Amino acid sequence: MKKMGLRAVSVVVAVAMTLSLFSMSVFGESIVSGKCGDNAYWELDLDTDTLTISGTGDMWDERVFFENYAYLSYARNIVVRDGVTRIGAKAFKYCNLENISISNSVTSIGAEAFMRCDSLESINIPNGVTSIGDKTFSGCYKLTNINIPNSVISIGDAAFSGCNKLTNIDIPNSVTSIGARAFMWCDSLESINIPHGVTIIGDAAFMSCGKLTNIDIP
């Protein structure tokens, strides 16, 4: 009974949050904002569905910076401005993102940062990023195009697992480590080149890639 009561309260709270966002948009308060790092800030424009991250330094992890997660359901576009150095773990997990612009000041993308962003089709990872965290893009099943720059050194565990529409991916020469299950369940992946600098390929890195017919390992 207690669990059912808590669930009911959660539903009521979620509905109330959504209605409050709707009323803000209707009555002219179309921008909401807050803090997402020690010196980083977020701003959501409800008219354009654009979430902007600005300021300096790292974002916090775990999305604790959003006073309520209903805000994230409105974000279709994300802009990470110059000065931000790290995208926090789980920052945009389960979002309905369609477009992402990340500034070159970002050097690290946290674990699960874009996990299960079901509407995301392409992303350019900026020069300067040295690590892609565990499960960063896991389950982004519409993702067809991704650009990994020559600054990336490590690709984390399950970083692209379940990206069903990826047909090929270029791993730059800078990469030295590919994590376990990194490309597992990439059902459309047909070919991949492993650069000479790679010294570690984790367990099941390419498991269940049913269409993979060509892999070049130095």
Side-chain angles (χ1 to χ4, degrees), residues 33 58 96 106 135 147 164 168 190:
S33 61
D58 296 354
N96 296 317
V106 172
K135 300 181 181 178
N147 176 46
N164 298 335
N168 59 74
E190 297 176 356

Side-chain angles (χ1 to χ4, degrees), residues 9-177:
V9 170
S10 298
V11 170
V12 170
V13 170
V15 171
M17 288 174 176
T18 302
L19 288 174
S20 67
L21 283 174
F22 175 75
S23 63
M24 281 192 293
S25 181
V26 169
F27 294 108
E29 297 180 29
S30 60
I31 294 178
V32 289
S33 61
K35 198 171 183 179
C36 58
D38 290 343
N39 296 293
Y41 304 87
W42 64 270
E43 181 180 277
L44 176 62
D45 188 328
L46 296 170
D47 288 335
T48 63
D49 300 330
T50 299
L51 176 64
T52 301
I53 308 296
S54 61
T56 58
D58 296 354
M59 291 176 63
W60 291 324
D61 291 331
E62 303 292 334
R63 302 192 295 182
V64 295
F65 48 86
F66 287 107
E67 283 81 355
N68 69 68
Y69 296 157
Y71 293 150
L72 284 175
S73 67
Y74 283 76
R76 296 292 183 273
N77 312 292
I78 285 184
V79 177
V80 181
R81 289 185 174 167
D82 190 50
V84 178
T85 54
R86 180 177 182 271
I87 296 175
K90 301 182 181 179
F92 308 112
K93 185 177 180 179
Y94 299 131
C95 288
N96 296 317
L97 302 180
E98 297 174 0
N99 302 290
I100 302 172
S101 174
I102 304 174
S103 109
N104 287 330
S105 61
V106 172
T107 59
S108 178
I109 302 176
E112 301 181 28
F114 298 99
M115 182 177 178
R116 292 295 304 274
C117 290
D118 295 343
S119 299
L120 187 63
E121 295 183 1
S122 66
I123 186 170
N124 288 320
I125 297 174
N127 290 317
V129 170
T130 58
S131 64
I132 299 173
D134 297 346
K135 300 181 181 178
T136 297
F137 298 99
S138 179
C140 294
Y141 66 85
K142 287 187 178 180
L143 190 63
T144 59
N145 181 46
I146 188 159
N147 176 46
I148 301 177
N150 207 36
S151 56
V152 171
I153 297 172
S154 64
I155 297 174
D157 293 350
F160 299 97
S161 64
C163 293
N164 298 335
K165 292 191 176 181
L166 274 179
T167 57
N168 59 74
I169 191 164
D170 292 326
I171 299 177
N173 291 327
S174 57
V175 171
T176 61
S177 173

